[in-house]
Amino acid sequence: PVNLLAPATVSNPVVYHNVPYQIDRFGRRPWSPATDPTHPALFFGGSYVFGEGLTNGETLGCQFQQQSSGAYQSTTYAMMGWGASQALIQLSSEELFRDIRQTSGIAVFSFIGDHIYRTTWKIDGASDFQSYPFFSLAPDGTLDGPFKASDKAKLGFARDLYSFLRGFSPSFRNLVDPNWFRITSDTQAAITTARVLGAARQRYQS
C-alpha cells in the first residue's frame, strides 16, 4: 500500500519558487531534532502541513516543536495534494515509523474541504494521479479500498475525456462538469472521509 503514496526522495535540496525543499526516504521534510524530546508529534495532510512555499524551519511541525520547548519531536508526513487517504495508508505501514522511539504523543491532521473529494473521487486528481488512493463505502457501510482511479473502468471515460480536453486547450476543461462523473454525493464523500479519518485514528492509537 505504501507504493500508492509515490513518495519523492530528495537527497540534496531543490530550490522551487526560491524555497529549498529536502525530503527524506520516507517522504518527510527533515529538520533539526529536539535535544531530549519526550513525546512524538506526527503531522499529516496536504500542502498546508507540508509547508508549500515555506522553508523547513517555517513549517507547522517545526514551529510546534519549537513552541513546545523541545518536549515534542515533530515529524511531518504531509505532502502537497495529499489528504485523508494517504494518512490512513501511512499509518498502516510500520516502516514509516521505525525511527520514532517514543510511544506517547499526538497526531495532527490538517483538514480542508477539498479533502472529501481527494478521499473519494475528483476528476482532475484522478486524471493527473492515476495511482492516487481512493476509498468508497461498501453496501454495509464499511470502507472499501484503497483503490486507484485507473482500477475503475467506469471512470476511464471521464478521466480520458478530461485529460484530452485539458491537453487540447486549458479553457476546454470548463466544458467538463465534474458532477457528470461523480460516483458519490457530497454527503457520501464527507461520510467516507470521516470513516477514513476514524480508521486512521484507530491505526494511530493501536
Side-chain angles (χ1 to χ4, degrees), residues 140-191:
D140 62 358
T142 58
L143 279 178
D144 183 19
F147 60 85
K148 297 179 291 185
S150 56
D151 294 335
K152 294 290 185 179
K154 67 179 181 180
L155 303 180
F157 172 74
R159 187 178 64 247
D160 294 343
L161 177 60
Y162 181 86
S163 298
F164 171 77
L165 292 177
R166 187 180 59 180
F168 186 78
S169 171
S171 62
F172 273 28
R173 76 179 66 187
N174 298 324
L175 298 177
V176 182
D177 184 352
N179 289 318
W180 296 346
F181 310 105
R182 291 279 295 280
I183 60 174
T184 57
S185 65
D186 287 345
T187 299
Q188 290 174 316
I191 293 174

Side-chain angles (χ1 to χ4, degrees), residues 57-134:
E58 296 172 323
T59 60
L60 178 63
C62 186
Q63 290 294 309
F64 177 84
Q65 178 176 307
Q66 292 177 354
Q67 291 298 317
S68 74
S69 299
Y72 284 87
Q73 173 64 62
S74 294
T75 307
T76 295
Y77 291 88
M79 184 60 69
M80 293 178 286
W82 283 7
S85 297
Q86 281 85 0
L88 174 55
I89 294 173
Q90 286 173 306
L91 286 165
S92 302
S93 172
E94 294 183 2
E95 180 183 2
L96 298 180
F97 307 96
R98 285 180 179 174
D99 59 345
I100 297 178
R101 305 303 180 188
Q102 303 86 2
T103 58
S104 175
I106 63 171
V108 178
F109 178 83
S110 175
F111 181 85
I112 63 173
D114 191 58
H115 282 165
I116 67 171
Y117 304 116
R118 298 182 191 180
T119 305
T120 52
W121 159 251
K122 188 181 179 187
I123 190 171
D124 54 354
S127 176
D128 292 335
F129 309 104
Q130 296 190 28
S131 293
Y132 199 104
F134 293 93

